[in-house]
Amino acid sequence: MKWNEQDIENYVGAKEYIDTIILPLLPFQLSQDANTKKDAFASEVLTIFSNEIEKELTGRILLTPSYYYLKSADKEQEVKRLNAWVEDMKKQPFKHIFYVSFDSSWKKNEKDLNGNLLWLPGIQSGDVHSEEMQKLIRQQVQQIVELIRSYW
Amino acid sequence: MSEEKQQVSRRQFLNYTLTGVGGFMAAGLLISPIRMAIDPVLKPSSAGEYANVGLAVEDITTEPQRVDWKIDQVDGWYESKVNRSAWVFKNENDEIMALSPTCTHLGCVVSWEGSEDHPNEFFCPCHDGRYYKDGTNIAGTPPTRPLDLYDHKVENGMLYLGKAQVRGEA
Ligand code: FES
């Protein structure tokens, strides 16, 4: 399920079946010319990625809006905010929280995050619409789906 | 002083315009559902067309295989390529079956023999929904109706799939 009216209507009618959250973490920062293009690309890929995971498992997961952060920001602060999101989500019967991200710097704070961090080694650049990229993404999606299922 | 006056009137002007546009949009919203209901020409129709899914009929066996293809879909704001999938096989009567992989419970993607514990069935990973090979849902699992069945036709030895049809309760 996604964060749109139709899906949320379905969600409300079937809450007891939807116990898993997918929360994409995306860096957004315009001040660092060296990284903007890379970050924008990562955002495109991660969005496709999260949508594909959602498609496979739509009946049991809720894909939340992405969490955007400045890369230079203090991660401890960010973790606090994220945990506040999660605390609020957990007022509903969610058992599993998965963060998806290409940004390895979350790894350092993983233990403080309420939930599981699925860190994906980033695809650095390329054409998101090319055949190879689609294949690559599909393979990774299958692996992530397996991983998520192993938590159920 | 006079400049300020001008500012205000400009602001007012913009406000009026915006209200006007808003009213126009509200009117549009009121009208369109009725028009959709009475005017079949305005209904989207592309869903009924057949697509070549890239599978030769001679390659269809009794073992379900997954095919993926793309269709063009105009969906409100977007015109986009949409992915479709089906599980295709021949049944005991040698008829081609193309089942939609969308679980009829809450929409996860089902796989043929997706669980080792349940051979010869379609399995939904989300809440252990199960279906017999012909797509009929197995009582006691969450799905409430069989998997949808695609319309199909054969042209020049290739399989074409059309609309997925909802089938009645088992
Ligand atoms: S979505 Fe398939 S069993 Fe619930």
Side-chain angles (χ1 to χ4, degrees):
Chain A
M1 312 269 165
K2 290 187 188 153
W3 181 240
N4 64 44
E5 189 187 18
Q6 178 66 54
D7 281 12
I8 293 304
E9 192 179 318
N10 293 341
Y11 163 69
V12 170
K15 267 185 199 174
E16 70 274 28
Y17 288 105
I18 297 138
D19 66 353
T20 303
I21 289 271
I22 304 278
L23 205 171
L25 305 178
L26 286 170
F28 167 71
Q29 189 145 22
L30 282 172
S31 62
Q32 300 176 352
D33 282 336
N35 287 330
T36 42
K37 201 174 151 208
K38 216 177 80 207
D39 288 350
F41 178 77
S43 147
E44 266 188 90
V45 176
L46 197 67
T47 305
I48 295 175
F49 211 86
S50 321
N51 282 331
E52 288 301 309
I53 297 174
E54 190 274 339
K55 226 193 264 166
E56 288 285 318
L57 303 173
T58 188
R60 188 156 173 182
I61 67 177
L62 179 67
L63 174 61
T64 66
S66 303
Y67 183 87
Y68 288 95
Y69 57 95
L70 292 175
K71 233 183 196 158
S72 57
D74 174 20
K75 279 280 178 328
E76 261 168 52
Q77 276 319 103
E78 301 292 343
V79 166
K80 253 190 214 144
R81 282 199 68 210
L82 273 170
N83 284 343
W85 279 34
V86 169
E87 208 172 291
D88 184 79
M89 291 169 195
K90 287 212 163 156
K91 304 237 157 81
Q92 300 291 348
F94 288 112
K95 282 207 238 64
H96 309 282
I97 313 284
F98 293 100
Y99 307 91
V100 286
S101 173
F102 287 136
D103 177 358
S104 59
S105 67
W106 288 105
K107 273 269 161 211
K108 279 184 229 127
N109 301 77
E110 193 176 4
K111 58 178 191 319
D112 301 320
L113 275 173
N114 189 346
N116 307 298
L117 176 69
L118 301 181
W119 172 69
L120 313 163
I123 304 167
Q124 292 293 314
S125 64
D127 174 6
V128 267
H129 303 291
S130 68
E131 290 274 310
E132 306 91 77
M133 190 68 80
Q134 284 179 2
K135 242 192 224 145
L136 198 75
I137 291 177
R138 201 168 293 166
Q139 278 171 7
Q140 284 205 350
V141 166
Q142 280 312 327
Q143 287 168 11
I144 297 289
V145 164
E146 283 308 310
L147 185 66
I148 292 174
R149 282 179 62 185
S150 74
Y151 282 82
W152 287 350
Chain B
M1 193 64 194
S2 78
E3 201 170 296
E4 196 159 308
K5 216 174 184 180
Q6 210 183 351
Q7 285 279 353
V8 170
S9 72
R10 181 178 153 72
R11 192 180 297 155
Q12 276 172 345
F13 170 73
L14 284 172
N15 254 321
Y16 289 144
T17 336
L18 279 176
T19 327
V21 172
F24 165 72
M25 279 178 64
L29 286 175
L30 280 177
I31 289 166
S32 61
I34 303 162
R35 262 181 74 191
M36 289 298 275
I38 55 175
D39 194 346
V41 177
L42 293 171
K43 282 190 183 162
S45 67
S46 64
E49 281 156 23
Y50 284 85
N52 183 343
V53 299
L55 180 64
V57 171
E58 58 183 15
D59 293 333
I60 302 176
T61 64
T62 54
E63 179 75 9
Q65 57 180 306
R66 186 174 158 153
V67 294
D68 299 284
W69 72 102
K70 285 195 176 90
I71 58 161
D72 285 314
Q73 182 173 289
V74 185
D75 184 11
W77 294 98
Y78 311 103
E79 174 166 0
S80 53
K81 297 253 181 228
V82 186
N83 295 313
R84 287 283 150 86
S85 311
W87 288 99
V88 179
F89 61 97
K90 278 190 184 141
N91 68 9
E92 340 48 287
N93 304 324
D94 218 30
E95 293 158 349
I96 295 171
M97 301 273 286
L99 297 176
S100 157
T102 306
C103 183
T104 59
H105 178 223
L106 290 172
C108 295
V109 178
V110 305
S111 318
W112 175 246
E113 305 201 315
S115 158
E116 278 160 26
D117 301 336
H118 304 288
N120 228 19
E121 291 175 5
F122 289 99
F123 180 78
C124 175
C126 284
H127 314 101
D128 298 355
R130 287 157 53 203
Y131 303 83
Y132 297 114
K133 191 176 178 184
D134 69 357
T136 307
N137 51 305
I138 296 179
T141 70
T144 50
R145 60 183 167 85
L147 295 170
D148 294 349
L149 183 65
Y150 280 103
D151 291 337
H152 75 272
K153 65 179 184 187
V154 174
E155 252 171 46
N156 300 323
M158 295 302 285
L159 178 69
Y160 285 72
L161 295 181
K163 226 181 134 186
Q165 303 285 358
V166 174
R167 296 184 289 171
E169 241 169 82

